[in-house]
Amino acid sequence: MTQRKPLIAGNWKMNKTCAEAMDTARTLVSLVSDVKDVEVMITPPFTALAQVADIIASTPVELGAQDVFWEDHGAYTGQVSAPMLVSAGCTYVIIGHSERRQYFNETDQTVNKKVKAAFAGGLAPVVCVGETEADRDAQKTFSVLDKQMDNGLEGLTVEIMANAVIAYEPVWAIGTGKTATPLQVQEVHAFLRSFLKQRFGDGIAGQIRILYGGSVKPGNAAELMALADVDGALVGGASLDAEIFSKIVHFGKA
Ligand code: PEP
């Protein structure tokens, strides 16, 4: 079986001034200095990326952004491109988070353009997919996920996909305190893995990490991370506090 190094990623969303972000990053670096078998990544807001990059330089903590635009430069007021994110120190970028789909008209088609731009710029995309509560109640979970994966990953080659990360985030579990049950999570992750196998072949599908996101906390991290097809977590609220996030990085054991 392929060994996939778990990735625990913190999505800070629209939180923290530059000073607060630097402070949290400093505390986190000291709290996770013992961690070897887990990759740790944080996504501060754009405004704090470069300063946080300085703090985590020469530490194992990695930097990601929360979004990217698909053009490299030009008259696109308010947008930030992949080369800009790389120049600020990012190696990852979250794409297609449900909040962007819900509030900022993100579609599977814009997700696809952004994923291609991320790869072209040298960033590893963390591609978010997930069903709403209404989808789940209507037994549409798998058809919704299939469509998001099919359109979002359209036109991508096997070679390039080796660096992709998928995040399964049931919309009904984000910021609600409701966590999907281990059975629900493993069922969906296995479905996503089999989608990747069919599309990109067993080898790459076995390498791609599939993260779970949705009210992950120190108390449920170990159980979720033990599931066969769960390769880490995308953590929102609980990543804002370095001590709580560090407990998740340690799978609730420290
Ligand atoms: C998220 O927004 O990606 C997320 C998983 O949030 P939370 O952990 O707060 O549910």
Side-chain angles (χ1 to χ4, degrees):
M1 207 181 96
T2 318
Q3 284 298 316
R4 296 178 293 268
K5 188 173 185 178
L7 169 64
I8 306 291
N11 175 10
W12 290 2
K13 310 192 185 188
M14 196 180 72
N15 291 292
K16 298 187 188 290
T17 61
C18 291
E20 288 165 349
M22 288 192 289
D23 200 40
T24 307
R26 261 186 222 106
T27 311
L28 182 65
V29 162
S30 67
L31 291 172
V32 300
S33 59
D34 60 321
V35 174
K36 291 197 176 49
D37 302 332
V38 175
E39 205 177 324
V40 183
M41 188 264 282
I42 49 176
T43 65
F46 290 136
T47 43
L49 285 173
Q51 282 163 308
V52 169
D54 285 344
I55 289 164
I56 63 177
S58 325
T59 81
V61 179
E62 293 180 84
L63 192 67
Q66 299 172 21
D67 189 27
V68 64
F69 190 55
W70 54 81
E71 297 292 345
D72 280 356
H73 52 82
Y76 302 103
T77 303
Q79 298 296 336
V80 177
S81 72
M84 291 171 180
L85 296 178
V86 171
S87 78
C90 292
T91 49
Y92 285 97
V93 60
I94 297 173
I95 297 177
H97 191 280
S98 63
E99 286 152 14
R100 296 216 59 86
R101 293 178 190 257
Q102 188 179 350
Y103 304 125
F104 303 104
N105 300 320
E106 191 85 87
T107 64
D108 294 339
Q109 285 66 37
T110 58
V111 167
N112 184 249
K113 287 168 127 181
K114 291 179 177 188
V115 171
K116 286 176 177 162
F119 277 132
L123 291 166
V126 178
V127 186
C128 300
V129 295
E131 81 286 2
T132 63
E133 192 149 40
D135 295 332
R136 185 162 275 272
D137 290 347
Q139 323 275 327
K140 287 190 187 150
T141 299
F142 296 107
S143 60
V144 165
L145 292 169
D146 189 65
K147 188 164 155 290
Q148 290 175 347
M149 293 285 283
D150 192 29
N151 294 332
L153 304 180
E154 197 269 322
L156 298 172
T157 62
V158 172
E159 297 73 41
I160 218 163
M161 279 300 288
N163 290 322
V165 177
I166 306 292
Y168 168 54
E169 299 209 305
V171 180
W172 49 272
I174 295 181
T176 58
K178 290 188 204 170
T179 315
T181 65
L183 201 68
Q184 288 170 325
V185 175
Q186 174 53 29
E187 186 181 38
V188 169
H189 281 231
F191 171 82
L192 296 172
R193 183 92 55 210
S194 81
F195 177 98
L196 293 169
K197 278 187 187 162
Q198 275 172 27
R199 178 66 71 92
F200 302 105
D202 287 12
I204 292 295
Q207 284 175 41
I208 295 175
R209 288 172 297 182
I210 306 177
L211 314 184
Y212 169 75
S215 300
V216 176
K217 305 267 182 291
N220 58 23
E223 187 180 32
L224 290 163
M225 297 309 116
L227 298 169
D229 285 296
V230 174
D231 310 308
L234 182 53
V235 185
S239 72
L240 294 173
D241 181 310
E243 294 196 7
I244 296 174
F245 187 57
S246 153
K247 289 196 171 111
I248 295 175
V249 169
H250 290 89
F251 292 3
K253 285 186 221 108

